[in-house]
Amino acid sequence: MDRTVFNKAQLEMLDIMAGIRSEEELEALKHVISEFYARRADEELDKLWQSGEWNEQTLKELGETHYRTPYKS
């Protein structure tokens, strides 16, 4: 059997989750984590915009692109 080795962040999250006592606390933690990742995504997009890698044209092209899985006929 393979042994799972957790990194420092995973161990920290396990410690935090051990203190969750209700569904409400779990939902609150999930909300905080999702806000954290949303903020990081915003920061990265700001960097792309400031560097010129993204602009109005990039957004327009992205909005017109269809990333769908084709269905088999």
Side-chain angles (χ1 to χ4, degrees):
M1 177 179 261
D2 291 333
R3 183 174 181 200
T4 301
V5 178
F6 294 108
N7 65 35
K8 186 176 179 179
Q10 291 169 319
L11 291 170
E12 186 72 25
M13 289 304 295
L14 286 172
D15 284 342
I16 290 168
M17 289 185 292
I20 300 293
R21 300 287 183 241
S22 67
E23 284 293 320
E24 291 80 19
E25 289 180 358
L26 177 59
E27 289 303 315
L29 177 60
K30 287 166 58 176
H31 181 73
V32 169
I33 292 170
S34 67
E35 284 183 338
F36 169 79
Y37 282 108
R39 190 170 40 255
R40 282 185 54 191
D42 282 343
E43 291 168 359
E44 290 300 317
L45 286 172
D46 286 344
K47 287 178 188 175
L48 288 171
W49 196 271
Q50 290 172 359
S51 72
E53 292 179 61
W54 276 49
N55 54 35
E56 290 292 334
Q57 182 63 31
T58 309
L59 291 179
K60 183 179 177 185
E61 290 170 4
L62 186 61
E64 295 171 351
T65 304
H66 299 284
Y67 292 106
R68 295 192 180 121
T69 303
Y71 294 100
K72 294 180 181 178
S73 301

